[in-house]
Amino acid sequence: MRVVSGIQPTGKPHLGNYLGAIRNYVALQDDAHGVGGECLIFIADLHAISMPHDPATLRASTLELVATLVACGLDPDKAILFNQAQVPQHTELQWLLNGTARMGWLNRMTQWKDKAGKNREGQSVALFTYPVLQAADVLLYQATHVPVGEDQKQHLELARDIAQKFNNDFAPKNPDGSDAPIFTLPDPIIPPEAARIMSLRDGAAKMSKSDPSDMSRINLSDDADTMVQKIKKAKTDPEALPSEEAGLAERPEARNLVGIYAALAGQSVEAVLGEYGGQGFGAFKPALAELLVTNLGPIRDRFVALKDDSEALDAILARGAAKARERGTPTLDSVYRALGLVRH
Ligand code: TYM
């Protein structure tokens, strides 16, 4: 079992990142540890330069993200926690995979289409080739499990396509004539109840670090009062909650809040509606806010205690990067060899 996933140090990590991905990093870290496997979680700082950025902010956000991940329960003694920039094998493998990835595959990526909009010509090359780096991130370590939110599913499918094509085109043969594949095809692990947490201001937009409105998301660094205010002001409709899940179909904001409650409480949506069906948001919102504060309050407290110790945070990254470089080397060597590139 090899768990691998990444998160970008752009903006503030939020409830969508936590429920969609970080909570699963922690669960899978413990599963992998239990069976002698490994979990590698990295800060995708190289992905962050695909959009305009401020260098000083990038450095500060990288360290804050380490503090957040540890505050959420990632344990640097159990998981390998690092940033891409300290592990050059990621970019090396990306270049080698650029020979396999097809322009047409990248052109179909919805994130590329969404972020580039009508101005494709004006985008960085990095934004276009971003999914190839993401494929390198996971294939380098022979990942078996990749915990992500639903918005990353298409990128993971691309990673599988690249791995498959590379294996077909270049895998060496075993002595008995069978193929000896170079890459493992990774499986995405997407939490069904929190695959896509939506904005608190617009049930049709995903909760995002880049949304200009801070009221659209719960940041993991928000204090209790801020969380309560954001839930109070969250967009809803005037109806009471339905008793059945089907009643949420045309009510995206209500569905989102009930989904958040269910994910935090570890209950099904049906069970939440069993309790709150027939009640209005005047009753439901305070219950949701309390649940949020109970779950995220301790994370925030740990984050605040860790965030200013840049020496300790840098040391976590350096230690993780050393291990990651070691883990990545064998695959990279086989790739160079399979491609006929001569190295010593
Ligand atoms: P990023 O930094 O946008 O998000 C980190 C993780 O959080 C998930 N997520 C969400 N889940 C549910 N609801 C939401 N509203 C929500 N918003 C974000 C994302 O799906 C992701 O799992 N390209 C990636 C980083 C990356 C990566 C990788 C991930 C780079 N290399 C290799 C996995 C494997 C990204 O920008 O995630």
Side-chain angles (χ1 to χ4, degrees):
M1 185 176 187
R2 250 299 153 83
V3 180
V4 180
S5 197
I7 175 166
Q8 281 198 76
T10 42
K12 292 181 180 164
H14 53 70
L15 181 67
N17 298 130
Y18 178 67
L19 294 176
I22 301 174
R23 210 164 61 154
N24 262 348
Y25 303 165
V26 178
L28 289 165
Q29 150 193 275
D30 293 334
D31 289 352
H33 195 67
V35 298
E38 276 189 319
C39 175
L40 294 98
I41 302 296
F42 59 87
I43 316 271
D45 49 3
L46 293 177
H47 279 107
I49 65 162
S50 60
M51 296 293 275
H53 81 285
D54 170 53
T57 310
L58 178 57
R59 165 150 175 84
S61 307
T62 300
L63 292 190
E64 276 189 16
L65 194 46
V66 183
T68 304
L69 293 173
V70 174
C72 286
L74 272 184
D75 176 351
D77 289 328
K78 279 192 195 163
I80 300 179
L81 187 50
F82 64 102
N83 59 314
Q84 283 166 323
Q86 296 198 63
V87 185
Q89 283 95 335
H90 288 243
T91 35
E92 273 183 86
L93 183 58
Q94 180 193 13
W95 179 258
L96 300 176
L97 295 178
N98 277 342
T100 294
R102 305 287 95 181
M103 294 288 285
W105 297 356
L106 296 181
N107 261 322
R108 281 195 285 279
M109 293 293 111
T110 53
Q111 180 182 291
W112 158 248
K113 291 195 257 187
D114 289 350
K115 287 202 174 166
K118 291 205 167 63
N119 182 22
R120 290 191 177 194
E121 297 292 308
Q123 301 305 323
S124 71
V125 174
L127 188 65
F128 186 66
T129 58
Y130 175 120
V132 187
L133 178 59
Q134 184 156 344
D137 294 337
V138 295
L139 300 179
L140 180 63
Y141 302 108
Q142 306 289 347
T144 54
H145 299 65
V146 184
V148 283
E150 197 185 55
D151 61 340
Q152 295 303 320
K153 190 167 171 226
Q154 195 189 31
H155 285 158
L156 256 291
E157 281 161 5
L158 180 90
R160 290 174 63 98
D161 289 345
I162 292 175
Q164 188 119 48
K165 181 168 167 50
F166 191 96
N167 284 341
N168 284 340
D169 293 352
F170 300 112
K173 298 278 178 209
N174 288 316
D176 67 357
S178 60
D179 284 338
I182 293 200
F183 292 124
T184 305
L185 268 49
D187 281 323
I189 307 289
I190 300 175
E193 72 292 356
R196 197 175 171 80
I197 303 292
M198 308 309 278
S199 155
L200 299 178
R201 309 299 290 171
D202 173 2
K206 108 184 149 169
M207 186 177 284
S208 156
K209 300 187 203 104
S210 56
D211 192 315
S213 165
D214 198 58
M215 294 304 283
S216 69
R217 64 183 160 259
I218 303 282
N219 301 308
L220 297 181
S221 54
D222 283 343
D223 61 25
D225 282 350
T226 309
M227 285 186 208
V228 170
Q229 283 309 314
K230 285 180 175 176
I231 293 298
K232 207 176 196 176
K233 300 226 167 82
K235 187 174 166 197
T236 45
D237 55 43
E239 309 285 316
L241 284 171
S243 310
E244 305 284 329
E245 196 169 351
L248 293 172
E250 305 295 320
R251 300 173 63 187
E253 283 84 13
R255 192 179 52 203
N256 189 39
L257 295 186
V258 173
I260 292 173
Y261 189 105
L264 285 169
Q267 292 176 352
S268 66
V269 166
E270 287 295 344
V272 178
L273 294 178
E275 191 177 344
Y276 288 99
Q279 299 193 44
F281 286 98
F284 182 69
K285 278 184 165 181
L288 174 59
E290 195 184 317
L291 192 60
L292 268 170
V293 171
T294 318
N295 275 267
L296 300 187
I299 292 178
R300 181 182 183 270
D301 293 345
R302 285 194 292 272
F303 167 74
V304 170
L306 292 165
K307 75 179 174 58
D308 294 321
D309 192 348
S310 57
E311 220 169 283
L313 299 171
D314 268 330
I316 291 175
L317 290 179
R319 189 153 66 95
K323 290 189 197 157
R325 287 193 293 268
E326 222 171 77
R327 303 301 187 276
T329 298
T331 300
L332 193 61
D333 284 348
S334 330
V335 173
Y336 274 112
R337 215 173 306 123
L339 290 171
L341 294 160
V342 178
R343 291 201 312 160
H344 293 286

